[in-house]
Amino acid sequence: MVQSTGPKKIKCAVFISGTGSNLKSLIRFSNKKSSPISIELIISDNSKAKGLNFGKIFKISSKVFDFNNKSFSEKKIIYEIKHKDIKLICLAGFMRILSKDFIKNFKGKILNIHPSLLPKYKGLNTYQRALSNNEKYSGCTVHFVNSRLDSGKIILQKKVKISKNETPKSLAKKILIQEHKLYPKAIRKVFNL
Ligand code: GAR
């Protein structure tokens, strides 16, 4: 008798530029039986990204595209993604802005995690900017990617309290812990699972 392998998982690519701690948490999540996704591909714009090690450890195919020629790199990535039948792209600390054309190819299928309570503090240096404005709270947001920077529909957010002696570094650390929980939750929400 053939054993059922359960419902098919949604094939997913994760894009990174650096440490890849969100990638690691997404891999852990994807390895759970109840997870709706399987991670089939890691894309990086940086051959030195520490996160690429997770590809080796977990035996996930990884590719580096230098983005010196953005449209050429994007074309190759689109080919890879379609070839592997990938249906979801998770940006996880990917520090490039994807072109309108790229985004159009995967409308409603690209998610991003951002270290602020959007729509506040789009872009870079979110921690310093929140502290300089004497915010009482900051946090993280998972959102759909559209053609405007950090402006797509919000899926989920998590607030964190800013303490008295908070520094950009301590705030980043606090928010990152929440990011690792929020991204899997947001994926479940997107797929109603
Ligand atoms: C995370 O804090 C993520 O929210 C942020 O980069 C960090 C990557 O950490 N992303 C952005 O700022 C995107 N604009 P990680 O490599 O350890 O996952």
Side-chain angles (χ1 to χ4, degrees), residues 119-132:
K120 280 192 167 174
Y121 310 114
K122 297 172 184 174
L124 299 174
N125 302 319
T126 57
Y127 318 107
Q128 183 57 63
R129 285 156 62 210
L131 294 177
S132 304

Side-chain angles (χ1 to χ4, degrees), residues 22 43 55 62 79 95-96 104 116 120 124-125 129 136 142 144 152 159 162 178 190-191:
N22 275 291
I43 299 275
S62 306
Y79 173 80
M95 304 312 269
R96 300 267 176 182
K104 227 169 54 195
S116 78
K120 280 192 167 174
L124 299 174
N125 302 319
R129 285 156 62 210
K136 288 197 167 59
V142 177
F144 287 104
K159 234 174 163 184
I162 295 179
Q178 296 308 323
V190 166
F191 294 105

Side-chain angles (χ1 to χ4, degrees), residues 18-23 92-95 112-115 123 127 176 179:
T19 314
S21 69
N22 275 291
L23 165 66
F94 184 66
M95 304 312 269
N112 181 42
I113 189 152
H114 184 76
Y127 318 107
L176 196 59
E179 289 185 35

Side-chain angles (χ1 to χ4, degrees), residues 30-48:
S30 73
N31 286 339
K32 288 188 178 160
K33 212 174 160 197
S34 70
S35 165
I37 60 159
S38 74
I39 297 172
E40 303 289 327
L41 181 64
I42 297 164
I43 299 275
S44 177
D45 61 327
N46 169 14
S47 62
K48 296 200 168 67

Side-chain angles (χ1 to χ4, degrees), residues 6 9 28 33 61 92-95 101 105 109 112 117 119 123-124 144 146-147 153 159 165 170:
K9 293 197 176 194
R28 286 218 173 118
K33 212 174 160 197
S61 153
F94 184 66
M95 304 312 269
D101 200 45
N105 263 278
K109 293 180 179 159
N112 181 42
L117 294 173
L124 299 174
F144 287 104
N146 66 13
S147 58
K153 189 171 176 244
K159 234 174 163 184
N165 299 314
S170 67

